[in-house]
Amino acid sequence: MNARDGLYEEAIPDRFGTNSYSEDREMESLLRLYLPEDLVTHLKPHLHRLGEFAGGALDALAQTSDQHPPTLEHRTRTGKDFQRIVKHPAYIEMERLAYSEFGLAAMSHRGGVLGWPGPMPAAAKYALTFLFVQAEFGLCCPVSMTDSLTRTLRKFGDPALVERYLPALTSQDLDALAQGAMFMTEQGAGSDIAATATIARPEGDVWKLTGDKWFCSNPDAALAMVLARVEGAPAGMKGVSLFLLPRRLEDGSQNAYRIIRLKDKLGTRSMASGEIRLDGATAYLVGELGRGFVQMADMVNNSRLSNGVRAAGMMRRAAAEALYIARHRKAFGKRLIDMPLMQRQLAKIVLPGEQARTMMFQAAEALRRSDSGDSKAYSLVRILTPMLKFRACRDARRVTGDAMEVRGGCGYIEEWSDARLVRDSHLGSIWEGTSNIVAQDVIRAIVREDSLHVLQEHLSGLLEQTNMHPAVRARITLLASGASRLAEKAAATGGGHLSRQAASALYHLTSAVAMAWEGSNIGSSRRMALAQLVLLHRLSPKDPLDPGSDAGTQLLFDDDANTDPAILNLLEQSTNA
């Protein structure tokens, strides 16, 4: 039956109208591993409702918003100098769903969201975001920045500032809501924060900021975190401080900065990004002078984690579209999904997305423990976050492209979601740190936070709780030693050319161990197979002339497969990818 109208099978399968939560066979089982049982039960109807939106109405809104990007107006029709960004009604409706109905930016900071009495753990927020982003990627950036700014302000801000702005930042009333942003990038600095040229001058109880910020998403946000160099401060990173910049002053007047223009972007067209000129704009110091980057890093890392979550969600959407087509389209008298060559292509689409989902939940649980005061969990978050941001965001670029190919020529047409997913997927590996920068951050975490030893301890704990075939356990042990040696060498040499290789190795190892743990604990042979496919295809040598075997990939698409995950062993199969 066609998912759109339920009447008949069309030559071109259309997944529109499918519930993105209920079709995801393992999501609920995974949530029960990472969240308390009572919270999963409470969230289930909300997840189901958001899944319905993501597969239908929200996806339509996202498509419309992508085709009607925001515009910048500088004056009113009477000639008054008054800037505003005009957003399409479809985008405004998506804002209502994200901020108001589902409270995605508020749920980590206060109780009452979705009827839950206290703040929700990160895994709950990311599960909902994972569904939302399967329809709309662009808006998730402002939602994430609002959430992250709130976290950073609460952590480092003066209590008076927190008291003044927290209610608006966590409001579910769109009229009262203060959205957040961060203005960090400068044309001459890029990722080199030490080269920040924006100047901050004290004036009574406030600061005045002057300079240009080159790439500012959500530029009309009510509040933004801004990095600036205090006048007379030393050169380098120690001269950079963090400031909170309000869009409007307490008397309601517009602050002294202008949006120069909006960016014409490859993707995330629904959401505005612009250039900002600060001309003596009023701002408030956040935290200590000279520790701006250290404090901003908290917001950046939270945004990086959100980037990884969004990449996971986009890969899930791409895989869901490809699987739907393969199950509902026939060629040469057979369903596509029954063809071995298509199964291989689908496996290459599914595997990276499932790795990212597992790493998303692993990082979320570590963040929960870290926020509760667990110092080892903080070190774990410090390495899991850049690992996820680096690898998942790069994988998303390839996965979305491969999924577009499954739909064929229609996938290249803007009427379908594929082209938008491909365009949006390139954002993750650029914003909040390019791939090189984030891979090097993995190495910095090893050097500064002793994160490698904490990660090794964490993986050992997961393996102790995993019932698996002895040969699989032995292979994991061997690969873990190799990945650790590579990471230690990268750390000893300051990263350099080994950073990306080491970060990828640690990511693949961690995701394989965690997926095996998940498979064992939820009784999923499919998840155990995914873990072993990571070992075979992402961590082991490959012989391009070996014909190999597809036993593992067939298991992924056999709905009747019921192998005990504890006895599953794909490692005798060819390592050919």
Side-chain angles (χ1 to χ4, degrees):
M1 302 295 285
N2 179 262
R4 184 191 293 271
D5 53 30
L7 295 177
Y8 58 89
E9 193 81 63
E10 293 190 41
I12 302 172
D14 188 351
R15 182 176 162 272
F16 187 89
T18 300
N19 188 308
S20 297
Y21 175 71
S22 61
E23 76 163 358
D24 191 342
R25 293 183 299 163
E26 291 185 330
M27 186 61 159
E28 185 174 338
S29 296
L30 291 172
L31 286 173
R32 294 186 188 282
L33 277 181
Y34 291 100
L35 289 173
E37 183 70 26
D38 59 342
L39 181 53
V40 175
T41 301
H42 178 84
L43 282 176
K44 189 174 178 179
H46 301 292
L47 291 161
H48 191 277
R49 187 160 52 94
L50 181 52
E52 185 176 7
F53 278 135
L58 180 58
D59 191 49
L61 292 170
Q63 188 80 349
T64 299
S65 298
D66 182 74
Q67 295 167 351
H68 298 86
T71 58
L72 175 62
E73 291 185 354
H74 293 280
R75 289 188 167 195
T76 67
R77 67 181 182 179
T78 61
K80 183 179 179 181
D81 188 9
F82 186 86
Q83 286 194 320
R84 74 182 187 118
I85 293 177
V86 181
K87 304 170 184 177
H88 192 275
Y91 185 85
I92 295 172
E93 175 61 13
M94 291 195 300
E95 287 183 309
R96 187 193 68 78
L97 288 169
Y99 288 106
S100 182
E101 186 160 344
F102 288 96
L104 296 180
M107 63 175 53
S108 291
H109 305 288
R110 64 168 176 83
V113 178
L114 297 178
W116 188 251
M120 291 195 206
K125 173 179 64 181
Y126 291 146
L128 288 159
T129 302
F130 179 82
L131 284 173
F132 196 99
V133 79
Q134 289 180 46
E136 165 60 10
F137 183 90
L139 175 60
C140 287
C141 179
V143 171
S144 169
M145 289 193 294
T146 303
D147 172 41
S148 300
L149 183 147
T150 304
R151 175 186 172 90
T152 301
L153 181 63
R154 293 179 64 191
K155 190 170 182 177
F156 299 110
D158 183 273
L161 275 182
V162 176
E163 183 179 0
R164 183 190 307 173
Y165 291 116
L166 185 62
L169 284 165
T170 59
S171 177
Q172 288 178 261
D173 179 350
L174 283 185
D175 292 330
L177 171 70
Q179 292 189 31
M182 58 179 173
F183 302 163
M184 186 166 62
T185 307
E186 295 186 6
Q187 201 171 11
S191 298
D192 184 5
I193 301 303
T196 295
T198 297
I199 295 296
R201 298 179 177 87
E203 188 175 295
D205 294 333
V206 299
W207 293 77
K208 300 293 185 178
L209 307 186
T210 302
D212 284 6
K213 294 295 181 179
W214 179 243
F215 213 119
C216 308
S217 289
N218 210 23
D220 62 339
L223 296 164
M225 287 291 184
V226 183
L227 288 176
R229 183 174 303 283
V230 173
E231 190 174 39
M237 202 75 81
K238 291 184 179 179
V240 178
S241 296
L242 181 62
F243 299 88
L244 182 69
L245 177 76
R247 178 71 173 145
R248 302 206 171 278
L249 303 178
E250 291 188 63
D251 62 4
S253 63
Q254 187 168 301
N255 204 349
Y257 68 90
R258 295 185 62 77
I259 304 169
I260 303 301
R261 64 170 179 169
L262 298 185
K263 301 287 193 180
D264 185 8
K265 297 173 293 182
L266 170 70
T268 62
R269 294 175 178 173
S270 64
M271 181 267 300
S273 299
E275 299 165 21
I276 299 289
R277 175 160 295 163
L278 302 154
D279 189 15
T282 298
Y284 304 95
L285 179 68
V286 175
E288 300 177 40
L289 280 172
R291 290 183 57 80
F293 179 72
V294 173
Q295 291 152 177
M296 177 65 107
D298 186 77
M299 183 173 179
V300 170
N301 283 331
N302 212 48
S303 294
R304 284 177 174 174
L305 182 49
S306 175
N307 252 307
V309 172
R310 284 176 266 160
M314 275 201 298
M315 285 191 279
R316 171 61 199 173
R317 168 66 187 274
E321 291 288 336
L323 288 166
Y324 187 89
I325 294 162
R327 288 191 174 108
H328 291 83
R329 186 166 187 179
K330 291 183 178 179
F332 312 107
K334 295 176 65 177
R335 292 192 313 162
L336 297 185
I337 200 165
D338 296 326
M339 298 178 178
L341 194 59
M342 178 57 74
Q343 288 185 354
R344 290 173 67 84
Q345 183 171 354
L346 291 171
K348 292 180 180 182
I349 292 170
V350 168
L351 183 60
E354 292 301 323
Q355 286 183 269
R357 179 181 4 205
T358 289
M359 292 293 283
M360 168 187 92
F361 280 129
Q362 287 286 307
E365 171 57 16
L367 182 61
R368 181 195 66 78
R369 293 184 2 242
S370 175
D371 286 346
S372 299
D374 185 334
S375 60
K376 284 190 175 181
Y378 172 79
S379 296
L380 187 58
V381 171
R382 275 291 293 114
I383 194 168
L384 290 178
T385 295
M387 282 163 56
L388 174 61
K389 201 274 187 187
F390 164 61
R391 192 65 263 164
C393 291
R394 291 193 64 79
D395 285 345
R397 291 158 46 174
R398 178 175 56 80
V399 165
T400 53
D402 286 355
M404 179 168 67
E405 185 181 356
V406 174
R407 181 166 269 130
C410 287
Y412 200 67
I413 306 303
E414 292 285 352
E415 290 176 305
W416 300 84
S417 62
D418 307 83
R420 175 162 52 92
L421 287 173
V422 170
R423 288 188 277 104
D424 287 350
S425 69
H426 283 71
L427 176 145
S429 56
I430 297 174
W431 289 6
E432 277 89 48
T434 58
S435 298
N436 286 347
I437 294 294
V438 181
Q440 288 178 322
D441 197 36
V442 173
I443 307 305
R444 279 191 289 272
I446 293 172
V447 173
R448 298 175 185 176
E449 308 293 344
D450 196 31
S451 289
L452 181 59
H453 291 136
V454 173
L455 178 63
Q456 290 168 333
E457 183 179 322
H458 174 66
L459 297 181
S460 295
L462 292 179
L463 287 171
E464 288 175 5
Q465 302 168 42
T466 302
N467 191 10
M468 65 172 72
H469 193 285
V472 178
R473 188 180 298 274
R475 178 69 67 88
I476 287 176
T477 301
L478 179 65
L479 292 170
S481 297
S484 294
R485 286 194 302 272
L486 177 61
E488 287 166 352
K489 184 173 182 179
T493 58
H497 70 287
L498 293 177
S499 296
R500 292 167 71 118
Q501 185 181 358
S504 291
L506 290 175
Y507 176 86
H508 296 319
L509 174 70
T510 302
S511 62
V513 171
M515 282 199 291
W517 171 79
E518 291 168 345
S520 174
N521 283 274
I522 67 175
S524 170
S525 58
R526 179 177 181 273
R527 208 129 197 99
M528 186 63 78
L530 286 165
Q532 294 180 34
L533 289 173
V534 173
L535 301 180
L536 286 170
H537 298 311
R538 309 204 80 175
L539 280 169
S540 300
K542 303 172 184 66
D543 181 354
L545 302 181
D546 184 345
S549 167
D550 283 327
T553 58
Q554 290 170 2
L555 185 59
L556 298 184
F557 308 114
D558 183 357
D559 294 334
D560 298 321
N562 195 26
T563 306
D564 182 351
I567 64 171
L568 182 65
N569 178 19
L570 304 176
L571 301 186
E572 309 127 351
Q573 310 298 337
S574 166
T575 60
N576 181 44

